[in-house]
Amino acid sequence: MVFIIMDENSYKLKLNHSEQLLNEAFAKYSEKEIFLSFNGGKDCTVLLDMVMKCVPKLINNSTNLKIIYVQPNQPFEEVEQFVEQCIIFYGVKIQIMKGGIRTVLEKLCREDPSVKACLMGSRRTDPYCAELEFMQETDSGWPKLMRINPLLDWKCADVWHYIRNNNVPYCKLYDQGYTSIGDKSNTVPNPHLKREGSTGGLTYLPAYLLENADEYERCGRT
């Protein structure tokens, strides 16, 4: 089954704008000055795929792309496996850094002062992202970086449309009812996808079948 979104024209406009923003970002910042924040989730996976499709004209070699995985305290084994899968599938290097996001950014900027910008998979429906701009500097008290948000106006349906129509790999937890993935301490399958199985037990539909996804996407997060 192929997932189809309601407004194909709206999706194409968002996709074109995201690609333009990526071109602007790599025109403004060299490959040494920009990195991609990656956590194995669906949004940053779409962003990684888009960047890799632009790599031939943006950077010299895919292995030069700086990718940082901020590893949570209790990561899912499935997410860890998917990160390894992406390394092989895209032919990239992904640096694993442990700790809170601010601590990691401080360490990254301290160890590599050339870093000036971060590509993020944030969308307006994410917590604290409703008022973000496509390019916006970090808040006061944080390491000074330009946050670049190519997917900011995308809806959840847009993300799944891109993944399923471009055969993009994704973490298998999304096929088990998870719709927004943190770590084991704060993430469970989305209750809106719970169904009674044919043998009487409970099962979960895959994430891309969640109705009203932008409202219920984070119902599995605490």
Side-chain angles (χ1 to χ4, degrees), residues 42-60:
K42 61 187 182 304
D43 304 318
C44 60
T45 299
V46 166
L47 184 56
L48 172 60
D49 190 82
M50 292 179 63
V51 170
M52 295 310 298
K53 285 181 169 60
C54 297
V55 157
K57 60 181 179 180
L58 294 180
I59 63 178
N60 295 324

Side-chain angles (χ1 to χ4, degrees), residues 63-112:
T63 57
N64 291 337
L65 178 64
K66 185 186 294 290
I67 307 173
I68 304 297
Y69 167 39
V70 181
Q71 188 181 58
N73 291 327
Q74 300 180 47
F76 284 97
E77 289 81 5
E78 292 87 347
V79 172
E80 301 288 284
Q81 293 166 3
F82 179 65
V83 171
E84 293 298 319
Q85 179 185 350
C86 287
I87 291 173
I88 297 171
F89 185 86
Y90 290 108
V92 295
K93 297 178 182 178
I94 299 180
Q95 181 180 352
I96 299 174
M97 300 185 73
K98 299 178 182 289
I101 183 65
R102 185 182 303 200
T103 301
V104 166
L105 291 179
E106 289 172 347
K107 181 180 180 182
L108 177 65
C109 292
R110 185 169 60 250
E111 293 178 351
D112 187 357

Side-chain angles (χ1 to χ4, degrees), residues 193-212:
L193 291 172
K194 186 186 298 184
R195 299 292 186 273
E196 185 173 335
S198 57
T199 58
L202 292 178
T203 186
Y204 289 86
L205 298 175
Y208 54 82
L209 293 181
L210 179 65
E211 297 180 4
N212 300 315

Side-chain angles (χ1 to χ4, degrees), residues 118-182:
C118 173
L119 291 168
M120 304 177 66
S122 301
R123 293 185 289 115
R124 293 197 190 280
T125 52
D126 294 333
Y128 314 112
C129 293
E131 303 300 323
L132 272 183
E133 298 177 7
F134 291 104
M135 284 193 181
Q136 182 174 329
E137 284 193 352
T138 47
D139 298 334
S140 176
W142 285 71
K144 188 174 181 180
L145 289 168
M146 180 64 73
R147 291 174 288 180
I148 303 170
N149 307 293
L151 307 183
L152 196 56
D153 281 344
W154 285 42
K155 302 296 185 182
C156 192
D158 298 319
V159 172
W160 281 113
H161 184 78
Y162 183 96
I163 288 173
R164 291 173 60 76
N165 283 272
N166 290 282
N167 296 314
V168 176
Y170 60 89
C171 179
K172 61 185 179 182
L173 286 176
Y174 289 114
D175 287 334
Q176 301 170 20
Y178 292 82
T179 54
S180 177
I181 302 173

